[in-house]
């Protein structure tokens, strides 16, 4: 079987659960096909996350058309520097881009602000910091964008969805300095157990993705083990981070049961109990 083939449907969960972070617009299947496969294994709700203005518009429109889809809108941390400084190499899927400066960033943020006001938009994100893909020249644009998204989330009473890659201390510093929204979600949680305790003390949700199943991910499993049950979410980040044993093949919301079962094993609980808690937590985080 090819590494590019879609993995098989896992055994359905007995208790419904939600995928707290997915990118249906980056997957091969239609929205209807994705939702049907997810529902077949009892994944009954998904949060569709935008990463740029166009993707955020798509997320909002898709949520408006499908009751089981909830939208989150934002400029990805790596998008802000591309808007300001351009992307002459065409490193992103949008291709080559000319520099737009501060005015272009302000215009894009205004669009996100308008989308965040919509009732069917439940989150603002993924926003945050990424020190892995963006070098020092992009730090200022990332931080400015992050702070603007924090204010947008607070203004509209929406969840803040954090992308944190190689930037733990700076993300936590800015959240503390700016004042985090009432509901803040660390998407694809990537910290260790010590950071999980910091997030727990602040009341931040921690969403675990398929990489919690990877052999080299013991620090993630240690974090999951100490995270309070009421703050734990599960996600695919599909089409990325496909859980073992399907790593390297396309991810999709219907694979949530694979990750959730691995999480239940780490936490020493049964899958039904964890699924029920995760669904309740996701509904509380995104107010659906």
């Amino acid at each position: 079987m090819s590494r590019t083939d879609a993995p098989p449907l896992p055994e359905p969960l007995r208790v419904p659960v939600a995928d707290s972070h997915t990118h249906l617009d980056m997957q091969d299947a239609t929205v209807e096909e994705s939702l049907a496969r997810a529902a077949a294994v009892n994944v009954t709700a998904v949060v569709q996350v935008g990463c740029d203005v166009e993707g955020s518009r798509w997320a909002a429109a898709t949520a408006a058309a499908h009751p089981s889809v909830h939208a989150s809108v934002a400029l990805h941390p790596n998008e802000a520097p591309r808007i300001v400084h351009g992307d002459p190499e065409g490193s992103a899927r949008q291709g080559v881009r000319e520099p737009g400066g501060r005015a272009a960033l302000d215009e894009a943020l205004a669009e996100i602000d308008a989308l965040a006001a919509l009732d069917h938009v439940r989150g603002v994100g993924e926003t945050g910091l990424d020190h892995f893909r963006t070098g020092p020249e992009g730090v200022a644009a990332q931080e400015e964008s992050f702070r603007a998204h924090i204010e947008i989330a607070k203004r509209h009473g929406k969840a803040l969805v954090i992308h944190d890659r190689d930037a733990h201390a700076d993300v936590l510093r800015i959240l503390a300095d700016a004042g985090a929204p009432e509901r803040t979600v660390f998407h694809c949680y990537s910290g260790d157990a010590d950071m999980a305790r910091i997030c727990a003390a602040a009341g931040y949700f921690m969403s675990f993705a398929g990489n919690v199943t990877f052999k080299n991910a013991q620090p993630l499993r240690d974090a999951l083990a100490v995270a309070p049950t009421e703050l734990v979410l599960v996600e695919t980040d599909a089409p990325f981070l496909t859980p073992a044993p399907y790593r390297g093949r396309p991810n999709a919301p219907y694979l949530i049961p694979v990750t959730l079962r691995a999480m239940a094993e780490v936490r020493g609980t049964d899958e039904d109990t964890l699924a029920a808690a995760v669904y309740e937590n996701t509904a509380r985080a995104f107010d659906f």
Side-chain angles (χ1 to χ4, degrees), residues 162-176:
I162 301 291
H163 171 104
D164 164 25
R165 188 164 187 186
D166 295 353
H168 304 325
D170 287 334
V171 167
L172 291 170
R173 169 182 58 82
I174 291 171
L175 285 173

Side-chain angles (χ1 to χ4, degrees), residues 45-205:
V46 304
V47 179
Q48 166 63 27
V49 179
C51 293
D52 54 24
V53 169
E54 183 180 352
S56 293
R57 289 176 184 148
W58 190 91
T62 302
H66 299 276
S68 62
V69 178
H70 309 282
S72 188
V73 299
L75 308 178
H76 189 282
N78 293 324
E79 175 71 0
R82 291 184 193 124
I83 291 172
V84 174
H85 301 298
D87 187 0
E89 304 298 324
S91 59
R93 63 193 177 102
Q94 298 94 333
V96 173
R97 198 180 315 182
E98 295 297 318
R102 170 68 183 270
L105 180 60
D106 286 345
E107 183 179 345
L109 287 167
E111 178 82 17
I112 298 302
D113 188 25
L115 290 169
L118 300 172
D119 286 344
H120 50 277
V121 172
R122 301 297 185 174
V124 173
E126 56 188 282
T127 182
L129 300 175
D130 189 318
H131 293 339
F132 179 77
R133 292 199 181 279
T134 297
E137 72 284 351
V139 168
Q142 278 199 357
E143 181 164 334
E144 180 181 348
S145 179
F146 184 21
R147 289 179 179 272
H149 281 81
I150 292 171
E151 291 310 309
I152 291 169
K154 289 195 287 190
R155 179 158 56 250
H156 298 293
K158 304 297 170 75
L160 182 73
V161 179
I162 301 291
H163 171 104
D164 164 25
R165 188 164 187 186
D166 295 353
H168 304 325
D170 287 334
V171 167
L172 291 170
R173 169 182 58 82
I174 291 171
L175 285 173
D177 177 58
E182 181 181 350
R183 292 167 287 123
T184 295
V185 178
F186 272 77
H187 133 68
C188 189
Y189 179 85
S190 59
D192 60 11
D194 288 340
M195 181 173 161
R197 294 184 182 97
I198 293 170
C199 289
Y204 301 152
F205 292 93

Side-chain angles (χ1 to χ4, degrees), residues 182-250:
E182 181 181 350
R183 292 167 287 123
T184 295
V185 178
F186 272 77
H187 133 68
C188 189
Y189 179 85
S190 59
D192 60 11
D194 288 340
M195 181 173 161
R197 294 184 182 97
I198 293 170
C199 289
Y204 301 152
F205 292 93
M206 289 163 270
S207 183
F208 292 85
N211 55 339
V212 76
T213 69
F214 296 174
K215 287 182 180 178
N216 63 350
Q218 192 56 47
L220 278 185
R221 290 187 284 275
D222 293 342
L224 173 59
V226 302
T229 300
E230 66 272 15
L231 296 176
V232 171
L233 310 180
V234 66
E235 66 174 86
T236 54
D237 196 23
F240 314 108
L241 298 176
T242 312
Y246 307 114
R247 187 176 182 180
R249 292 163 67 178

Side-chain angles (χ1 to χ4, degrees), residues 6-12 36-38 40-41 246 254-255 258:
L9 264 68
E11 180 184 347
R37 289 175 192 164
V41 296
Y246 307 114
Y254 73 83
L255 290 173
V258 179

